[in-house]
Amino acid sequence: MTEPQPAGTGKAQPPAPKRNAFTRFLDTVEWLGNLLPHPVTLFFLLAAGMVLLSGLFGWLGVAVDDPRPVGAAGRADDGMIRAVSLLSADGVRRIFSSLVTNFTSFAPLGVVLTAMLGIGVAEKSGVLSAAVRGMVLGASKNVVTVVIVFAGVMSNTASELGYVVLIPMAGAVYYSLGRHPLAGMAAAFAGVSGGYSANLLIGTIDPLLAGITEEAARLIDPTYAVTATANWYFAAASTLVVTAVGWAVSTYIVEPKLGAYNPDDADPTALDGAAASPLTAIEKKGLKVTGLVLLGVLAVMLLSVVPSWGILRDPVTGDAMRSPFFSGFAVWILLFFLAMGWAYGKVVGTIKNDRDVIDGMAKSLGSLGLYLVIIFFAAQFVAFFNWSNLGSITAVKGAQTLEALGLTGPVVFIGFILICCMVNLMIGSASAQWAMTAPIFVPMLMLLGYSPELIQAAYRIGDSTTNIITPMMSYFGLILAWAVRYDKKVGIGTMIAMMLPYSIFFTIVWTIFFFVWVFALGMPVGPGAPTFYSIG
């Protein structure tokens, strides 16, 4: 933005830069997004609105035929699904008696809190930062872009690590190599945020989304269970796809468009010491010891489920997929990161005793204050939606509409993914968006014959690919602030224009890969995860 000239200087104001159609579109997106209230307020309004709507539809006697077979759990004797008023005396009593348990029994809550205990210890020890630095700084100039995008994808396992460590580091690495630092930041941002739903490992977002999906699926099937590993196979394979696309877009579109870097464009103090510090000898030793410890944890994991006598197989059927191993996978996340943090911290001296471990856990949970507030109101909205039967009614009506239009085949997922892309422009939180839309789309697509696990995998494509072009994404402002240090002229429009090619190609290629993986190759999206769902 051009600063105004002091009065009396006689200097003419420079003309305002021309605003093209794309810039105006970005302004519109930002304006619409700014109209949305805070996620906490949004879920409060949705929950309150659900109570009012249930009263209206209950008074009108809205009902639909229940598509579930006779005798199915939750099916009424008359075969109808009726709107239930929460404004009735029974409804008000149910709200007051269940408000606390709605929150404490919300499926994602316990899993996320458990996983974050281990991640907190790993962050306290410094092993996550060291691993990322070792991966990026150890790469040659020819493969550094591939490594940065891949490291960005993998950093999603550890919450905000990629945003606060990898993205600024990537800019410093590119600058030290004589390349445009914004190109490095763009590649890292693409991996961290655009590839948010791809990973070789299970991260905190997996149990969170699985819990929300499970709650939504139970509107149709009250006994349905979704595990944290529901999308593991597809997410792992997607890691390679996202890395390849991110590298290609960086190499052939973004970096050539940015051109040669002019240090004169930077903030005068931004480039002082702009270099990522290499690993020290003690840090390298810590990573080696950590690797050995993790091999031990992996061996224990395999012994608990691979042999026929594995203690975490289903004790009745002996099944390895539908077993305590996968239903309790959050415990493995806890042990995995706890072992990482303890081993590395003991070597480098960041973890000296049990108090350091406890401090890491406490700090990690302390950072979840806003998340807990959001989840409290999201849990009420989901519960009210369930009690009112409006979710089931909407699902049945939506499924009937799609059938009438002939949109029951796999092509329905193209529209679903694009809808998720658009909603994500306004609501940057993956869990907040899914808590709002899952109760509608999961039952609807289940009635068309698709499994909740498959629906969740498709949602995650739409949720990830537009993260990098919306100012509503919580870290967008922080990344913009780092970019301005390298180029004073960078604004929101510049950032979005730079990231838009990633968003476009991620959406197209990832959607095609989804169809090839699921419908052409017939591959499951996760361990024990079906592709199709049959009522009854």
Side-chain angles (χ1 to χ4, degrees), residues 160-387:
E160 72 276 4
L161 175 73
Y163 292 107
V164 300
V165 175
L166 180 62
I167 294 177
M169 183 191 303
V173 168
Y174 264 53
Y175 174 73
S176 65
L177 294 174
R179 300 167 69 175
H180 204 300
L182 293 188
M185 294 181 66
F189 189 18
V192 173
S193 199
Y196 189 65
S197 291
N199 209 299
L200 298 179
L201 305 174
I202 302 296
T204 53
I205 192 63
D206 293 281
L208 174 58
L209 294 184
I212 295 172
T213 304
E214 179 176 287
E215 296 276 355
R218 288 182 175 180
L219 292 171
I220 298 296
D221 186 342
T223 63
Y224 204 94
V226 181
T227 67
T229 58
N231 298 148
W232 193 3
Y233 293 161
F234 181 69
S238 296
T239 301
L240 303 179
V241 174
V242 170
T243 300
V245 174
W247 165 80
V249 172
S250 296
T251 303
Y252 297 109
I253 299 177
V254 174
E255 191 165 7
K257 183 177 182 299
L258 288 170
Y261 179 59
N262 180 8
D264 293 338
D265 293 334
D267 182 284
T269 62
L271 303 182
D272 293 342
S277 59
L279 294 176
T280 63
I282 191 66
E283 287 176 325
K284 291 179 181 178
K285 180 181 178 182
L287 289 178
K288 289 178 182 177
V289 172
T290 301
L292 294 175
V293 170
L294 291 183
L295 286 176
V297 175
L298 180 61
V300 173
M301 290 177 66
L302 295 176
L303 287 174
S304 71
V305 72
V306 172
S308 59
W309 45 261
I311 193 172
L312 291 183
R313 282 177 172 263
D314 187 288
V316 177
T317 65
D319 187 17
M321 294 301 179
R322 300 288 178 179
S323 67
F325 179 87
F326 286 109
S327 62
F329 204 82
V331 179
W332 285 118
I333 298 176
L334 167 63
L335 295 176
F336 182 83
F337 284 103
L338 191 61
M340 282 181 68
W342 177 263
Y344 182 84
K346 293 299 288 184
V347 173
V348 302
T350 51
I351 300 289
K352 298 181 176 65
N353 49 44
D354 61 326
R355 186 174 296 277
D356 290 329
V357 173
I358 295 169
D359 287 345
M361 291 180 172
K363 184 178 180 181
S364 178
L365 293 187
S367 67
L368 295 178
L370 178 59
Y371 165 77
L372 294 176
V373 177
I374 293 174
I375 285 298
F376 175 81
F377 290 100
Q380 309 310 324
F381 165 68
V382 172
F384 297 168
F385 205 49
N386 190 0
W387 298 345

Side-chain angles (χ1 to χ4, degrees), residues 50-196:
M50 191 53 55
V51 173
L52 296 177
L53 278 178
S54 71
L56 174 62
F57 288 124
W59 177 70
L60 292 174
V62 173
V64 296
D65 292 326
D66 194 333
R68 293 173 292 185
V70 176
R75 192 179 194 272
D77 293 336
D78 63 355
M80 300 295 290
I81 301 176
R82 304 182 185 279
V84 176
S85 173
L86 298 180
L87 287 177
S88 64
D90 286 341
V92 172
R93 283 192 290 268
R94 187 174 190 182
I95 291 173
F96 269 79
S97 61
S98 303
L99 202 71
V100 174
T101 54
N102 289 344
F103 176 51
T104 57
S105 62
F106 194 55
L109 182 62
V111 202
V112 171
L113 294 180
T114 301
M116 287 302 293
L117 291 173
I119 290 175
V121 177
E123 290 181 335
K124 169 77 174 178
S125 72
V127 63
L128 300 177
S129 175
V132 169
R133 284 162 50 218
M135 186 183 301
V136 173
L137 297 178
S140 68
K141 183 175 182 178
N142 294 329
V143 299
V144 69
T145 303
V146 174
V147 173
I148 284 176
V149 177
F150 177 75
V153 174
M154 294 301 296
S155 72
N156 297 326
T157 307
S159 187
E160 72 276 4
L161 175 73
Y163 292 107
V164 300
V165 175
L166 180 62
I167 294 177
M169 183 191 303
V173 168
Y174 264 53
Y175 174 73
S176 65
L177 294 174
R179 300 167 69 175
H180 204 300
L182 293 188
M185 294 181 66
F189 189 18
V192 173
S193 199
Y196 189 65

